[in-house]
């Protein structure tokens, strides 16, 4: 079950590193793991830090706007998404350039209709990530990142996206980095385990770039986090 993620022993080393490196700048996520955390390498862990930053003040200020929920989907739910997506993705080739140079080594598509299992998960995402009266961007965005791929620092266009973005992580653990657009000394790193949901809101969306680190740079608070092929299922709301 831990073939392509962090092993239990390596996770213990990661947690030890969290206590040694940047100790005043660690934000602890209080989301509880479900049984599916076993697939992400987080099964022994409860209430551990998934977000670290450049300063305690920044972590405190952005904490309510940045969230990682581990074990948000089960292995069966991940399989349901893959069954619906793989045939279409296989018809595409991985691209190593992007119209605005934001992504390297990717395939992408959009989907409006889903089978029941996937729609139930997406309804769960919508209920926890977005305000009740929020209008969502119609198609769900699917981004398939090759093992050698990565997402460069960028801010989504405010013309097309609203205050909130929420994404499911399939197939691989990864590191998302947020960096202040006008002050690169301010940053947060998010550990995104396989099967997790991340949510970015407000300032974290508009004033910070976000990126997914390439495999050779995938280090969380001093500990290596191998990056394999990663599929993200991304929901956004419309500009208010």
């Amino acid at each position: 079950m831990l073939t392509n993620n962090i092993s239990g022993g390596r996770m213990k080393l990661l947690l030890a590193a969290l206590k040694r490196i940047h100790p005043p700048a660690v934000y602890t996520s209080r989301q509880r793991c479900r049984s599916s955390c076993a697939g992400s390498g987080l099964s022994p862990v409860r209430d551990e830090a998934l977000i670290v930053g450049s300063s305690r003040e920044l972590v405190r200020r952005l904490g309510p706007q940045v969230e990682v929920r581990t074990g948000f989907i089960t292995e069966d739910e991940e399989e349901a998404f893959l069954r619906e997506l793989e045939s279409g993705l296989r018809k595409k080739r991985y691209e190593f350039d992007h119209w605005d140079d934001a992504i390297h080594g990717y395939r992408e598509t959009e989907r409006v209709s889903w089978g029941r299992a996937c729609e139930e998960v997406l309804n769960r995402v919508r209920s926890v990530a977005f305000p009740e009266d929020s209008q969502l961007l119609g198609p769900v965005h699917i981004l398939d990142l090759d093992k050698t791929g990565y997402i460069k620092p960028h801010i989504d266009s405010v013309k097309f996206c609203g205050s909130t973005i929420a994404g499911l992580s399939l197939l691989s653990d990864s590191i998302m980095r947020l960096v202040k657009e006008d002050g690169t000394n301010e940053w947060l790193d998010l550990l995104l385990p396989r099967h997790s949901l991340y949510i970015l809101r407000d300032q974290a969306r508009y004033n910070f770039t976000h990126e997914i680190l390439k495999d050779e740079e995938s280090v969380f608070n001093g500990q290596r986090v191998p990056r394999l092929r990663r599929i993200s299922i991304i929901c956004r709301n419309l500009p208010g």
Side-chain angles (χ1 to χ4, degrees), residues 67-109:
E67 188 174 356
V68 179
R69 296 193 176 208
T70 58
F72 192 82
I73 63 171
T74 66
E75 290 188 13
D76 287 345
E77 289 168 336
E78 180 186 60
E79 283 295 326
F81 277 108
L82 295 176
R83 282 194 300 270
E84 294 204 29
L85 294 173
E86 285 285 33
S87 61
L89 289 171
R90 278 197 296 266
K91 297 175 184 177
K92 300 175 178 287
R93 63 182 180 88
Y94 284 104
E95 303 285 347
F96 289 86
D97 53 18
H98 188 261
W99 66 272
D100 63 356
D101 198 35
I103 316 175
H104 181 86
Y106 72 99
R107 301 184 292 199
E108 66 181 338
T109 187

Side-chain angles (χ1 to χ4, degrees), residues 7-193:
S7 68
R10 296 189 69 178
M11 179 54 69
K12 290 180 182 178
L13 292 174
L14 187 152
L15 296 176
L18 291 179
K19 297 177 182 178
R20 295 195 305 269
I21 305 172
H22 304 308
V26 172
Y27 170 73
T28 301
S29 170
R30 294 296 175 182
Q31 299 299 326
R32 304 289 288 184
C33 290
R34 299 183 186 184
S35 60
S36 61
C37 287
S40 69
L42 292 178
S43 52
V45 181
R46 292 294 186 274
D47 296 340
E48 299 295 349
L50 299 174
I51 303 172
V52 296
S54 55
S55 71
R56 177 183 291 275
E57 191 280 330
L58 178 65
V59 171
R60 180 197 60 78
R61 175 161 52 89
L62 280 192
Q65 302 171 30
V66 179
E67 188 174 356
V68 179
R69 296 193 176 208
T70 58
F72 192 82
I73 63 171
T74 66
E75 290 188 13
D76 287 345
E77 289 168 336
E78 180 186 60
E79 283 295 326
F81 277 108
L82 295 176
R83 282 194 300 270
E84 294 204 29
L85 294 173
E86 285 285 33
S87 61
L89 289 171
R90 278 197 296 266
K91 297 175 184 177
K92 300 175 178 287
R93 63 182 180 88
Y94 284 104
E95 303 285 347
F96 289 86
D97 53 18
H98 188 261
W99 66 272
D100 63 356
D101 198 35
I103 316 175
H104 181 86
Y106 72 99
R107 301 184 292 199
E108 66 181 338
T109 187
E110 293 181 333
R111 197 177 183 97
V112 175
S113 61
W114 299 85
R116 186 176 65 178
C118 295
E119 190 62 38
E120 287 177 356
V121 173
L122 292 171
N123 284 337
R124 202 159 71 232
V125 171
R126 294 164 185 138
S127 68
V128 303
F130 299 94
E132 189 173 345
D133 59 349
S134 183
Q135 289 190 304
L136 301 188
L137 195 63
V140 174
H141 184 203
I142 295 94
L143 185 61
D144 179 359
L145 206 59
D146 182 69
K147 174 179 167 54
T148 62
Y150 52 92
I151 302 176
K152 300 177 183 180
H154 70 285
I155 296 176
D156 296 329
S157 172
V158 296
K159 293 181 180 178
F160 307 108
C161 304
S163 62
T164 303
I165 180 172
L168 295 167
S169 296
L170 279 57
L171 297 179
S172 178
D173 305 331
S174 60
I175 308 300
M176 175 179 283
R177 176 164 294 162
L178 308 183
V179 179
K180 185 74 177 299
E181 186 178 23
D182 58 357
T184 56
N185 60 328
E186 294 189 74
W187 55 268
L188 293 180
D189 277 358
L190 284 60
L191 175 59
L192 305 181

